[in-house]
Amino acid sequence: MILLGIILLLWVCSIRAAGARPPSYAAWAADSAIARGQGNGLDSNGQPTVSYEHGEFQWALRLLYERTGNKTYYDYIQKGVDNVLLPNGTVGGGYSAVQFQLDPLRVGPSYTATKEIKYKTAADEFRAQLDIHSRTAQGQFWHKIQYPNQGWLDGIYMGEVFYAAYTQMFQSHNQSAWDDITLQFTLMFNNTIQTFATTNETYLGLLYHGYDYSHTAVWASPDRGHSPEIWDRALGWYSMALADTLSILPSTHPGHKSLLSILQTLAPRIAAAADPSSDVWWLVMTEPGRTLNYFESSGAAMFVYALLRGVRLGYIQDTSGVLVGAAKRAHQYMVDNWVVDHGNGTMDWTNTVLVGSLDGNGDFAYYVSQPDDLNDLKGVASFILASYEIEQLPVDY
């Protein structure tokens, strides 16, 4: 029996070494991150942390667990959640509602999977933040307290997926909550949609990184106060939030139709914005091919996930196969260029930009000056999600 196990192990290793496709890129990426101890509710010093990156990773593990039944993923999520909780069930890890940040709420969906009291206590604490969180005069949540009147695409993914998951689990008949969730998406769309191209940018009809309702930020445009560039990961966050929230928001609520319309508008434009020579997307999408611009991995993976999930769940019609074809080609580029076999049963993931912010000028020079990061969890989790959807495609698609 031991000899048979050794033979099978050597056979798997020889296939991997020969460049054959592994049975599941999603599982390989997830297992690799788990082996590195990523996304477990602890920071690099072993201290509890409330991290949106961990929330995204836990969402990916949850989908894998539901598909495979592999309890390793469920147990890892639970361990990560428990590492952050205090004994009385409240949220530790430095979290405080009065910090008024949307980012921490992305771990919230991990606390809404069960009505067990200690997890509901934590979910209630996150939900209570939304009742006091600062808003623009139109009703958009501020991204953070230090950015008054600013809405960022990132914040939709951080706040609204949790908002929807909580409402579904605990307040499914709360129509005002569903209305508010819809409002967050529509305000962001209306205030950031590119309606024309300025001198240096390409028209894509997609969404700028964010906007300042007060028009006081140095980067705020004269018309709606939007930022000057379309950054791939910000658009990726918003696109994934659309696909995920549509699977939660009741189809009978008018907001479902509103979000469908937005996703159906953006999806073909995202596919069309891929670079024709590589089939993936530029970091700064509004300035393709400009010196120092490059193909960035987290945003690309997010687009693949959102496109395929939207098609698979029937939110986007793709009778011609354009969207699925674009997503498949992009995924192939990913595995050919950004997946690195580490040689020990794990893989590395490359080309994920470390950060993107509207703290400064929000211009091209800012985005391309940010370093990329090996095995950045924002990229790894997004690749798991993209691969999860690729692996849901019919074999003859």
Side-chain angles (χ1 to χ4, degrees), residues 78-273:
Q78 185 170 32
K79 177 183 176 182
V81 167
D82 288 344
N83 278 340
V84 174
L85 288 183
L86 298 174
N88 64 357
T90 58
V91 182
Y95 170 75
S96 172
V98 296
Q99 291 175 343
F100 299 112
Q101 297 186 31
L102 291 176
D103 285 351
L105 301 185
R106 190 57 191 83
V107 303
S110 298
Y111 294 81
T112 63
T114 170
K115 293 185 178 180
E116 188 174 337
I117 188 64
K118 69 174 180 177
Y119 300 127
K120 185 177 185 301
T121 298
D124 288 345
E125 187 176 356
F126 285 131
R127 176 62 181 84
Q129 176 183 324
L130 295 176
D131 291 332
I132 60 173
H133 197 95
S134 300
R135 297 173 181 252
T136 68
Q138 291 180 308
Q140 185 89 68
F141 290 128
W142 295 5
H143 186 65
K144 293 182 181 181
I145 194 67
Q146 62 263 46
Y147 307 125
N149 287 294
Q150 293 183 24
W152 297 10
L153 300 183
D154 322 33
I156 295 293
Y157 185 75
M158 307 310 167
E160 270 50 70
V161 179
F162 162 68
Y163 199 173
Y166 182 94
T167 304
Q168 179 192 52
M169 175 62 79
F170 303 116
Q171 300 177 351
S172 60
H173 298 295
N174 186 343
Q175 295 303 307
S176 64
W178 294 125
D179 292 345
D180 194 23
I181 292 164
T182 304
L183 179 69
Q184 299 305 313
F185 278 94
T186 55
L187 285 176
M188 190 66 69
F189 179 84
N190 291 336
N191 283 293
T192 64
I193 185 72
Q194 184 191 34
T195 56
F196 62 91
T198 61
T199 303
N200 297 321
E201 68 181 16
T202 299
Y203 176 75
L204 301 171
L206 295 171
L207 307 183
Y208 293 104
H209 188 168
Y211 75 101
D212 177 7
Y213 183 72
S214 67
H215 288 65
T216 58
V218 65
W219 44 256
S221 67
D223 57 343
R224 288 160 292 144
H226 64 71
S227 58
E229 301 285 6
I230 296 175
W231 177 46
D232 72 325
R233 188 159 71 223
L235 181 61
W237 289 130
Y238 185 88
S239 302
M240 292 202 302
L242 279 170
D244 289 338
T245 304
L246 277 166
S247 68
I248 302 170
L249 182 64
S251 60
T252 54
H253 188 277
H256 197 272
K257 185 177 180 180
S258 299
L259 268 59
L260 271 179
S261 176
I262 294 174
L263 181 60
Q264 290 166 359
T265 297
L266 294 179
R269 297 178 185 181
I270 289 172

Side-chain angles (χ1 to χ4, degrees), residues 340-381:
V340 180
D341 190 336
H342 207 272
N344 63 354
T346 66
M347 54 153 279
D348 285 337
W349 177 256
T350 67
N351 267 59
T352 296
V353 68
L354 185 62
V355 69
S357 173
L358 290 174
D359 193 31
N361 292 333
D363 58 7
F364 177 86
Y366 163 76
Y367 290 109
V368 298
S369 71
Q370 303 309 303
D372 60 17
D373 190 24
L374 178 67
N375 292 324
D376 188 289
L377 196 56
K378 297 180 290 295
V380 173

